[in-house]
């Protein structure tokens, strides 16, 4: 049974049920939230992503000018050679003599192993010679190389050539 109250509206007696009146009041207050729009929601869009540059370029050597004649295979090979050089120069010599060293270049998809790393002093510079494999989309290549540490300019590649 619903409770009712008698109200005096302009001298007329009206019976009002409290529960339906309360529901009507709450619904009318909340309907403003559903009907109105929010300017912030209208301004936001999430359906698209902007790409700054759809044709990125990869430089084979960050210190040289980009050569327009360089093809993708040569560019990938140069990037892999840089990755091999960085792996050899960062190697912990106490560990690599027994374990060797794996390398991978996420940008080109190439990977390989570096073995026979030997460090020596040559003309006042620390040098490291090594063998490395490069497994890529164009096959597997075995390299022999050497890097040296110049006190003024840092590590540089003395030689890195495929073995034939």
């Amino acid at each position: 049974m619903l409770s009712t109250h008698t109200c005096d509206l302009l001298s007329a007696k009206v019976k009002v049920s409290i529960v339906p009146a309360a529901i009507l009041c709450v619904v009318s207050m909340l309907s403003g939230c559903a009907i109105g729009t929010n300017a912030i929601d209208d301004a936001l869009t999430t359906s698209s992503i902007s790409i700054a540059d759809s044709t990125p370029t990869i430089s084979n050597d960050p210190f040289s000018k980009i050569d327009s004649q360089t093809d993708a295979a040569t560019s990938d090979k140069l990037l892999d050679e840089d990755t091999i050089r960085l792996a050899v120069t960062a190697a912990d010599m106490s560990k690599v003599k027994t374990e060797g060293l794996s390398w991978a270049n996420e940008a080109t998809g190439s990977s390989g192993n570096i073995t026979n790393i030997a460090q020596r002093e040559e003309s006042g510079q620390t040098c490291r010679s090594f063998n490395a494999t490069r497994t890529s989309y164009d096959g597997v290549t075995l390299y022999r190389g050497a890097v040296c540490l110049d006190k003024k300019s840092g590590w540089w590649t003395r030689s890195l050539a495929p073995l034939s």
Side-chain angles (χ1 to χ4, degrees), residues 109-162:
S110 302
S111 62
N113 293 306
I114 301 169
T115 57
N116 302 329
I117 300 176
Q119 184 167 305
R120 67 189 183 289
E121 291 295 319
E122 187 174 308
S123 301
Q125 294 183 336
T126 301
C127 294
R128 293 181 180 179
S129 58
F130 60 92
N131 292 335
T133 60
R134 175 182 179 256
T135 304
S136 67
Y137 60 88
D138 59 355
V140 178
T141 308
L142 177 63
Y143 288 89
R144 178 158 298 148
V147 294
C148 294
L149 177 61
D150 181 86
K151 293 178 183 174
K152 294 180 183 175
S153 61
W155 288 98
W156 60 282
T157 304
R158 181 182 181 124
S159 65
L160 184 61

Side-chain angles (χ1 to χ4, degrees), residues 3 11 21 23 27 40 43 46 50 82 87 89 110 117 123 136 139 141 146 150 157 161:
S3 68
S11 303
I23 292 172
V27 169
I40 293 174
T46 59
S50 173
D82 284 345
T89 61
S110 302
I117 300 176
S123 301
S136 67
T141 308
D150 181 86
T157 304

